[in-house]
Amino acid sequence: MADRLNGTRILILETREEAQFAKLLAEQGAKVVQCPMFTIHDAPDPAPVEAWIRRAIDKPFDDLVLMTGEGLRRIMKLAVARGLDQALVAALAKSRKFTRGPKPGRALREVGLDAQQTTEKPTTDGVIEMLGRLDLKGRRLGLQLYPDKDHSALTGALVAQGAEVDTVLPYVYDSKAADANIVAAIDEMAEGRIDSIALTNLGQVRRLFDAAKAHGSEARLRAGLERTLIASVGPAVSGELAAHGLRTDVSPVEDHYFMRPLISAMAAALAEKRPRVAG
C-alpha cells in the first residue's frame, strides 16, 4: 500500500543498495534523508587477491564461503582486469558454495552460479553453525572475508573441523570519508527532525559511533537515538546495536530480513503515533 510513510523523515545510511532503499521509501511517501558514510575501495594491494584467484583456478576449492556480495563482485572485477574471469567462474562452478545471507547469493547468480546453501541467519555465527554440520576434514575451503571484523572465531572453527582455509580480503573501507555527513545526521536526530533511522548492516552502527567519538559527539548521538525510532533489518544489526547498549524498536518478522519487510515494519510502528515532522 502506497503512502504509508507520508509525513515522515527517514534517515538512511549509505549502503551499496542505498539508491534502491531510498526509492522504496520515497514510494511510500517518506522524505528520505541520505547520509553517505564511507567509501569502499579495492584492496590497496591487488597481489594477494590475484594470487587467491589463481589458486582457485589452478586447483578449484572443494568449498567456497562468501561473506558478502561486494566481496565476490570485487574479486570478479580483478579477475576481469587480469583476463581470468571465465576461468575463475568455471573453477568456482566445481566448488560447493555457501553464503552468509542472500546478498552473496545474488552476486553468484550475476555470474551464472548458485549457492548450495545459505545461512538461516545472515551472521558469522550463522555461518559457523551452518558449516559446523558438515564434514570438512581435509577439504580446501576458499573464504572471502570483509573489512573491520575479527574473523578469528570463524577461521578457528573451520580449522578445528579439519579444513584447509584459504582466505581473501578483496576490499577495504575508507573509514574517514564523509565524517561531516555523519555529524550532520547526528544533529538532525538530536534536534528531533528524524522520525526513524533505518539500519541495514552492522558496519553502519560502528561507523556512527566511530565518527561520533572522533568528533566529540557520542553523547549527542545517544540522545538523538533515544528520541528516534531505530529500525534494524535483522539480527546482525540488532546485535551490534545491543553491543553499544542500544535498543531495536523495529525489525522485520523472523527470516524476512530484507528492505521491503523492514519498510512494512517501520510503517506499522510509525502509524501508531503522529509524525513529529511534516513534509
Side-chain angles (χ1 to χ4, degrees):
M1 189 172 72
D3 302 329
R4 292 179 297 174
L5 293 173
N6 273 354
T8 63
R9 285 169 58 91
I10 310 296
L11 174 63
I12 68 171
L13 309 178
E14 183 177 1
T15 69
R16 294 176 295 281
E17 298 171 328
E18 178 187 18
Q20 178 193 0
F21 195 24
K23 179 175 181 290
L24 291 172
L25 288 165
E27 286 174 353
Q28 298 298 321
K31 178 173 176 57
V32 182
V33 180
Q34 294 175 269
C35 175
M37 296 196 76
F38 53 77
T39 303
I40 297 174
H41 298 295
D42 294 331
D45 180 5
V49 184
E50 181 178 346
W52 185 91
I53 291 170
R54 292 186 181 279
R55 289 194 298 274
I57 293 171
D58 292 343
K59 187 178 180 183
F61 297 120
D62 297 308
D63 300 303
L64 174 69
V65 179
L66 297 173
M67 301 296 282
T68 65
E70 184 70 27
L72 180 60
R73 292 186 183 102
R74 295 278 168 168
I75 290 167
M76 292 307 305
K77 177 183 174 184
L78 182 60
V80 169
R82 299 292 190 267
L84 299 170
D85 50 311
Q86 292 185 10
L88 178 59
V89 171
L92 297 184
K94 300 175 182 178
S95 306
R96 291 191 305 184
K97 290 167 284 294
F98 303 91
T99 64
R100 183 186 69 122
K103 293 180 182 179
R106 289 199 288 271
L108 274 171
R109 290 193 292 275
E110 289 169 8
V111 296
L113 300 174
D114 287 298
Q116 273 66 58
Q117 195 171 345
T118 297
T119 55
E120 295 175 5
K121 296 180 180 179
T123 62
T124 296
D125 286 344
V127 174
I128 293 172
E129 182 180 341
M130 174 178 65
L131 298 177
R133 306 186 189 111
L134 305 176
D135 181 3
L136 299 179
K137 188 174 182 179
R139 295 181 69 86
R140 293 180 62 251
L141 186 148
L143 173 61
Q144 173 261 311
L145 303 176
Y146 58 93
D148 296 351
K149 168 75 175 179
D150 180 0
H151 296 282
S152 58
L154 174 58
T155 55
L158 296 175
V159 170
Q161 287 178 247
E164 177 188 335
V165 182
D166 191 339
T167 63
V168 62
L169 182 60
Y171 62 100
V172 297
Y173 294 139
D174 179 354
S175 61
K176 293 185 178 180
D179 274 19
N181 295 323
I182 298 173
V183 172
I186 290 170
D187 288 340
E188 288 274 291
M189 286 192 291
E191 292 166 17
R193 294 199 292 266
I194 299 296
D195 290 292
S196 179
I197 179 172
L199 300 164
T200 56
N201 70 65
L202 59 83
Q204 295 168 344
V205 182
R206 293 174 184 169
R207 269 294 280 143
L208 270 176
F209 276 89
D210 287 347
K213 289 174 182 176
H215 295 273
S217 300
E218 185 177 359
R220 193 160 172 78
L221 170 60
R222 290 186 178 277
L225 289 170
E226 185 62 33
R227 66 188 305 178
T228 303
L229 186 85
I230 303 175
S232 160
V233 77
V237 176
S238 296
E240 190 66 25
L241 286 166
H244 285 85
L246 296 170
R247 73 200 185 280
T248 294
D249 295 316
V250 175
S251 190
V253 296
E254 189 173 354
D255 296 332
H256 289 77
Y257 307 128
F258 307 102
M259 289 179 184
R260 289 183 189 275
L262 176 61
I263 291 170
S264 294
M266 292 166 61
L270 290 167
E272 294 178 1
K273 57 183 178 179
R274 292 175 61 86
R276 289 189 299 274
V277 183

